[in-house]
Structures are given as C-alpha cells and as structure tokens.
Amino acid sequence: MIVDGISKVGAYALFASDCVRSAVTHGVPWDRVMDESYKVGIRSFPVLFTMALFVGSNLAIQGYAAFSTLGAGNLVGMFVALAGVREVCPLLAATMVAAKAGTEMAAQLAVMRTKEQIDAIEVMAIDPRSELVAPSILAVMLTLPALTVFTIFVSLVASLAVAVLQLGVDTGEYLSFLVGYLTAYDLFAATLKSVFFGVIIATVSGYFGFFSERGARGVGQATNRAVVTMCIVIITLNFALTSILYG
C-alpha cells in the first residue's frame, strides 16, 4: 500500500512537470485560458459570495462569544483579521474552487478519455497536456488569488455588519482592531497561498481526469478521487505554508 502510494505521488509529479514542460515547449492556447478563467472565476462568484457572507458572520459571532467571556468583546475585529484573513478565507476559496471547478475539470478530461478524444489529439501530434491541462493551470493560478481577495472583502463586510448590528460592538473599535492587526503582509500571504492552492487544484484534477479508467464508472471515480485528494493536499499544504510564512 505504501509503495503504491509513493508510485502514485511520483506519477503525479511527473505529470505536473510534463504539463509545465509541454506548456513552455509548445505554448498555451490563450483563448482556452480565458475560457477556463471565466468558468473558474465568474461562475464561482455567486456560490463564493454566499459562503463568504455566512462564514464572515459566523467568525464575528464566534469571536465575540469567545472574547466576551473575558470582557473583551470589542476584540472581535482582531479575531476576524487573524483567523479570517490569514486562514479561513484562503481555504474557503480554494476548497470551493476545488469542489466546483476542480471536479468539473476532472470529469471533463475523464469523459474525453472515455470517448478517446485525448487519444485522437495525440494521434494528431498535439500534446494534450499543453492543449487541455496547461490552460486550466494558468486559469486557476490567475483567478484564485482574485477570488481569495473577494472572499476576504465579503467576509470582512459581513462580520462588521453582524458585529455592529447584532452584537452591539462599536464600529470604531471594530475597525480599529481590524486595521491594527491586519497588515499588507497578511494579504500577500493569503494571495500567495491561493497561487499554490491553484496549482494543486489544476494539476490534481488534471491528473485524475487524464489517467481515468474508461466508462461511466471511471468518470465517477476520477471525480471523487480528485476532490478528496485536492482537499487533503490543500489542508496539508496550508499548514506548511502557514509554518513558513508565520512560523
């Protein structure tokens, strides 16, 4: 089992490196990059807005509940800045994109493998990695940082509204602690995390879709394995990046 797992990690690493090498050698069709960016970015806005709205609200409620027992309920702005911006929002955007766009990428490639369309592309002397996978990698790398910033903004506005209107926290105190603890480095770290998360989402979904078994069962297995693997790797990578950036 361990040997099989190591071999799969090695196969994934070779696939990811082949995608990068193929993109550099053969170029990337930028029209496909724009199409994938639209799928990943614009189509994700409604879902991400709803999730960020309620996550920001929950952060305010939980932060106030924790600090109010110590008589420091006005520190909720600090809690949102530290927990929300540094950790929750980058993970929220990444897992949502993985669940929505990542599974779509894996399923699309798996269907193309079943219909032998990938084989047809190879017969035409076109590298399917540069044609099908590389545009997705660039698209997610470009759009996920923007989605992360959007998530941060929505969650901060939602937490401010809940803190002031529902919990009775003074607006000036909330903003004072938020601005006091939120730095440009935190925003840089959040967007940097999203770039790495984007690479993981695109390459993992591409790997499972590209090497899926043929048939409807293979498509389902590829999609399921892709989303589970993406979430596990993203959470693990987040720990490593947080240790490096804030350790």
Side-chain angles (χ1 to χ4, degrees):
M1 183 176 179
I2 296 178
V3 175
D4 183 61
I6 295 175
S7 65
K8 288 182 179 179
V9 172
Y12 162 74
L14 289 175
F15 172 78
S17 62
D18 286 343
C19 290
V20 175
R21 178 174 51 81
S22 178
V24 173
T25 304
H26 303 290
V28 178
W30 285 100
D31 56 336
R32 286 188 55 83
V33 174
M34 295 298 103
D35 290 340
E36 293 296 329
S37 298
Y38 174 81
K39 294 178 182 179
V40 176
I42 302 300
R43 292 185 180 180
S44 300
F45 269 113
V47 178
L48 192 57
F49 174 81
T50 303
M51 295 175 66
L53 188 68
F54 287 102
V55 166
S57 302
N58 289 336
L59 282 174
I61 294 173
Q62 292 292 347
Y64 183 82
F67 287 109
S68 61
T69 58
L70 305 175
N74 57 342
L75 295 178
V76 63
M78 177 193 70
F79 176 78
V80 173
L82 297 180
V85 176
R86 291 183 178 183
E87 300 297 331
V88 177
C89 290
L91 284 175
L92 176 64
T95 52
M96 193 283 301
V97 171
K100 188 177 184 299
T103 53
E104 183 179 350
M105 295 175 196
Q108 183 180 16
L109 288 173
V111 170
M112 294 181 70
R113 173 65 69 184
T114 298
K115 294 182 178 180
E116 300 183 350
Q117 293 175 336
I118 294 179
D119 298 331
I121 293 175
E122 291 176 336
V123 168
M124 292 186 293
I126 300 175
D127 192 336
R129 292 170 179 82
S130 64
E131 185 70 21
L132 302 176
V133 182
S136 298
I137 296 176
L138 289 176
V140 180
M141 288 179 62
L142 291 173
T143 55
L144 189 53
L147 291 175
T148 300
V149 174
F150 173 75
T151 304
I152 292 173
F153 174 77
V154 174
S155 63
L156 290 180
V157 172
S159 62
L160 172 62
V162 171
V164 174
L165 301 178
Q166 180 177 336
L167 303 175
V169 178
D170 182 73
T171 305
E173 288 185 339
Y174 176 92
L175 294 176
S176 176
F177 283 106
L178 176 66
V179 175
Y181 284 89
L182 179 61
T183 64
Y185 182 79
D186 294 326
L187 297 176
F188 165 76
T191 53
L192 180 63
K193 284 183 178 182
S194 66
V195 172
F196 283 97
F197 294 160
V199 174
I200 293 299
I201 292 170
T203 54
V204 169
S205 61
Y207 170 77
F208 282 102
F210 198 85
F211 295 106
S212 67
E213 298 179 1
R214 301 183 189 274
R217 182 180 179 182
V219 175
Q221 288 180 341
T223 305
N224 181 66
R225 291 171 181 172
V227 70
V228 172
T229 304
M230 282 186 288
C231 291
I232 293 175
V233 175
I234 286 172
I235 295 297
T236 305
L237 181 60
N238 180 70
F239 170 76
L241 291 175
T242 299
S243 300
I244 295 172
L245 295 170
Y246 294 101

